[in-house]
Amino acid sequence: MSEAAAPASALRRGVMPLLAYAVLTAAMDVYAGNRFEVVSPASLAAVSFTLTMLFFLAVEARRGGVRPRAAVITHRRDIVAINITTAVTWLSTFYALEYLEPAIVNVIGLALGPMIMTLAGPLLRQHSRVMGAEIVVSVAIGMLLAALMWASFSGRSGLGDLSTSDAVLGLLFSLTCAAGSAVNIIYMKRLSDAGCEPGLVLATRFFLMSLVAWILVAFEDGPDLTAALVPGAVVAVIGVGLPIFVLQIGIRHTEPITTSLLVCLSPLFAFALQLADGRLRFSLFTLGGVIGVVVLVAVGVLVRDREPAPGEPAAAGRPAAPEPLVSDEHGGPRP
C-alpha cells in the first residue's frame, strides 16, 4: 500500500464512526424528547445513568480492580468537578428537551460550547488571543441562536405554540447545558493530562449524576419507574455508551479538523429524525437557523485550523498562533 493510500484508508475508517456519533447524539435528543410524554426527565436520567455507571464500573473492575477507587483518591478534586459538570450538563439537557424542539436544543449545545471556549480563551490560558474572524463568527452564531429562540417563543418552531414559561425554561436549560459542556471538556482534559485513561474517567464521572437524579425522582409525585426502564436502557446505549465508543474510533483515524466538521452535522440529523416524531411539525425557520449555525461553526473550525500549530513559525505578516486550548476535544454537544 502506498503512503498516500494509507492515510486515505485511515480516513475512511474514521468517517463512518464519526457520522454514527453525530446520528446517535441526534437520535438520543429526539428519542428522549419524545419519551418525556410518558416519563419524567428525572426518571429517565436515573435509570439511564445508573445503568451507564454500573457498566463502566464493571469494565474497569475487570481491567484494574481497585483502580477507580485509586483514581478518585489521587484526582479527587477534578473527579468531583467533572461529576458536578456532568450532572449539570445532562440533567439540563433532559429538561431542555422536555420544553424545546430537539434540533434547537442540539444546535445550542453544539454552537455555544465552542463559542464559550473561544471567547473565554484568554481567561483559560496565558498569552491567548481571540482571532477577529472568530469574534465575527461567534456574534453571527449568537444572532442565529437568538432567532431560533424567537421562533420558539413565537410559535414558529417545530413544537408550534409554546407558553412563555416553557420557552424560558427551555432556553435556560439549553444555555446551562452548553456552559456545562464547555467546562466538562476542561476537566476531561485535566484528567487526561494527569494520566487518567478514558475508561477510568467514565467509571467515576456519573456518581453524582445518578444520585441527584434518584433524589429528584424521590420528590416526584408517584413516579412510574417501570415506564422508564426501557427508555432509560435505550438512552444509556444510544446516548452514552455507543457514542463514546464510535467517537473514540473516529478520533483515532481522523484529524481533529475532520472530527469537528463531521460532529457539526448532528443538528441536521436531529432535524431530519424529528420529522418522524408526531409531536413535531416541519419548520422552515428551524431548518434555516440550524443550517446557518452549522455552517458558521464549520467556518469557525476551519479558521482556527488554519492557524500554525504551537511552536511553528507564523506565516509572513501573520502573528504566531496562540497556545492550544485547554482541550483538544472538538465539537460534540455533550462530552
Side-chain angles (χ1 to χ4, degrees):
M1 183 180 293
S2 68
E3 290 184 6
S9 176
L11 177 63
R12 285 194 295 270
R13 288 197 298 270
V15 166
M16 289 309 296
L18 289 173
L19 287 175
Y21 172 80
V23 171
L24 286 167
T25 54
M28 198 286 295
D29 286 347
V30 175
Y31 177 79
N34 178 274
R35 290 297 81 200
F36 291 147
E37 293 285 298
V38 293
V39 299
S40 70
S43 297
L44 189 62
V47 173
S48 61
F49 279 91
T50 298
L51 292 175
T52 301
M53 177 184 68
L54 292 175
F55 173 77
F56 286 115
L57 280 172
V59 170
E60 279 306 301
R62 251 181 98 83
R63 292 178 56 197
V66 297
R67 291 170 67 221
R69 185 189 305 172
V72 171
I73 294 172
T74 305
H75 308 290
R76 55 187 177 276
R77 290 185 179 178
D78 287 344
I79 292 290
V80 169
I82 202 170
N83 266 264
I84 294 171
T85 58
T86 297
V88 168
T89 300
W90 279 95
L91 284 171
S92 59
T93 297
F94 284 168
Y95 281 101
L97 289 169
E98 186 178 26
Y99 295 111
L100 291 183
E101 183 179 356
I104 291 179
V105 175
N106 191 292
V107 80
I108 289 175
L110 169 81
L112 276 188
M115 239 175 76
I116 292 170
M117 294 298 293
T118 296
L119 298 179
L123 300 177
L124 300 175
R125 58 182 186 251
Q126 293 180 343
H127 311 299
S128 173
R129 65 183 181 83
V130 178
M131 299 163 57
E134 289 180 309
I135 294 176
V136 172
V137 166
S138 295
V139 170
I141 288 173
M143 293 173 64
L144 280 177
L145 292 180
L148 286 172
M149 288 312 307
W150 173 80
S152 296
F153 277 89
S154 61
R156 290 172 171 80
S157 74
L159 278 174
D161 292 329
L162 287 177
S163 67
T164 301
S165 60
D166 283 356
V168 169
L169 286 171
L171 173 60
L172 291 176
F173 283 125
S174 296
L175 294 176
T176 303
C177 163
S181 178
V183 179
N184 239 342
I185 291 174
I186 296 173
Y187 286 102
M188 289 168 65
K189 180 62 175 174
R190 282 171 61 96
L191 288 165
S192 175
D193 289 344
C196 284
E197 297 179 6
L200 271 175
V201 178
L202 290 170
T204 54
R205 69 180 289 189
F206 299 121
F207 292 131
L208 184 62
M209 172 75 191
S210 301
L211 176 62
V212 171
W214 283 112
I215 291 173
L216 291 174
V217 169
F219 281 98
E220 291 181 346
D221 185 18
D224 186 3
L225 289 176
T226 304
L229 289 177
V230 172
V234 171
V235 168
V237 174
I238 71 169
V240 184
L242 272 179
I244 289 171
F245 177 71
V246 296
L247 180 62
Q248 289 302 318
I249 295 175
I251 289 173
R252 185 183 309 154
H253 294 294
T254 58
E255 294 297 320
I257 180 67
T258 306
T259 301
S260 301
L261 293 174
L262 290 174
V263 168
C264 284
L265 298 175
S266 183
L268 292 176
F269 288 129
F271 183 86
L273 291 171
Q274 74 180 28
L275 295 179
D277 189 336
R279 302 174 308 124
L280 304 168
R281 67 185 187 186
F282 176 83
S283 169
L284 187 61
F285 200 103
T286 298
L287 177 61
V290 166
I291 291 175
V293 172
V294 167
V295 169
L296 286 170
V297 171
V299 169
V301 170
L302 291 169
V303 166
R304 172 58 63 179
D305 187 67
R306 291 182 61 185
E307 286 294 285
E312 290 183 1
R318 185 171 66 184
E323 293 179 22
L325 283 168
V326 292
S327 172
D328 55 6
E329 305 254 355
H330 294 274
R334 290 169 292 276

